[in-house]
Amino acid sequence: RLSFVRYGSWACCFCYGCWFGIEGLIKSGESASSPAIQKCCQYLLSQQRANGGWGEDFTSCYDKDYAANGMQSYGDDGSGVVNTAWALMALSAAKCNDVEAVRKGVRYLMSRQLDCGDWPQEGIAGVFNRACGITYTAYRNVFPIWALGRCVATYGDNIGKDPCIKELE
């Protein structure tokens, strides 16, 4: 594992760990432009899936390696709302300058929201002791809404809009 990539021992897994690592470094005074934070952002960006989301399953925790197939069995084309939210919170905390990647992640979360306002329950997002998966049902709603709010606060109200489509006035 690369030294700048954080393993999350309480959740699945690298998106979560990177978010906590970046958040902790920034809160302790580290510059968002520091090499460690920038490398961590690049790592997260390299894991973004074609549909704009991120996804890991429980095997990331057990294998201590990013799950090659993401949330293939439990999410949406390998992405999941909780992992996507964690990745977006990490990138927005670092004020990632790849705004298009952030926009794709935001649009992914927006597309997955259900008519009732919830997000779908997907695979296991929590873990204890690397071997005990835990389903925290609140994760599917708490983290996406937190991530969307943070992305709007960091990048502005238009972060979820397609820049190629002009709105009618």
Side-chain angles (χ1 to χ4, degrees):
R1 200 167 64 240
L2 303 171
S3 65
F4 52 83
V5 175
R6 300 288 58 128
Y7 172 81
S9 61
W10 291 101
C12 303
C13 171
F14 292 96
C15 292
Y16 175 83
C18 287
W19 167 44
F20 268 79
I22 288 173
E23 189 91 24
L25 287 169
I26 296 222
K27 295 289 185 188
S28 66
E30 187 79 16
S31 168
S33 63
S34 78
I37 290 175
Q38 289 305 302
K39 285 179 184 177
C40 198
C41 287
Q42 288 306 310
Y43 174 79
L44 283 173
L45 292 169
S46 75
Q47 302 301 329
Q48 189 172 28
R49 303 187 70 81
N51 63 8
W54 282 262
E56 295 180 84
D57 65 15
F58 183 70
T59 60
S60 286
C61 301
Y62 191 76
D63 296 339
K64 290 191 173 185
D65 194 17
Y66 200 94
N69 294 320
M71 292 278 295
Q72 199 65 42
S73 299
Y74 307 104
D76 175 50
D77 289 329
S79 294
V81 296
V82 175
N83 292 124
T84 298
W86 290 333
L88 287 172
M89 291 206 292
L91 295 171
S92 58
K95 295 180 175 49
C96 175
N97 61 7
D98 189 342
V99 177
E100 189 52 33
V102 173
R103 183 183 323 281
K104 287 178 183 176
V106 166
R107 291 181 61 76
Y108 172 78
L109 284 183
M110 291 170 62
S111 75
R112 296 289 290 151
Q113 191 171 22
L114 304 172
D115 290 339
C116 66
D118 285 356
W119 278 267
Q121 182 65 48
E122 298 171 328
I124 293 168
V127 67
F128 173 73
N129 226 11
R130 223 181 100 213
C132 179
I134 304 168
T135 297
Y136 293 109
T137 56
Y139 277 22
R140 68 187 170 109
N141 292 318
V142 170
F143 290 112
I145 202 139
W146 187 356
L148 291 172
R150 176 175 282 179
C151 287
V152 166
T154 303
Y155 297 99
D157 290 339
N158 291 326
I159 190 63
K161 296 181 182 167
D162 187 333
C164 297
I165 298 174
K166 184 176 179 172
E167 288 189 34
L168 298 174
E169 295 183 21

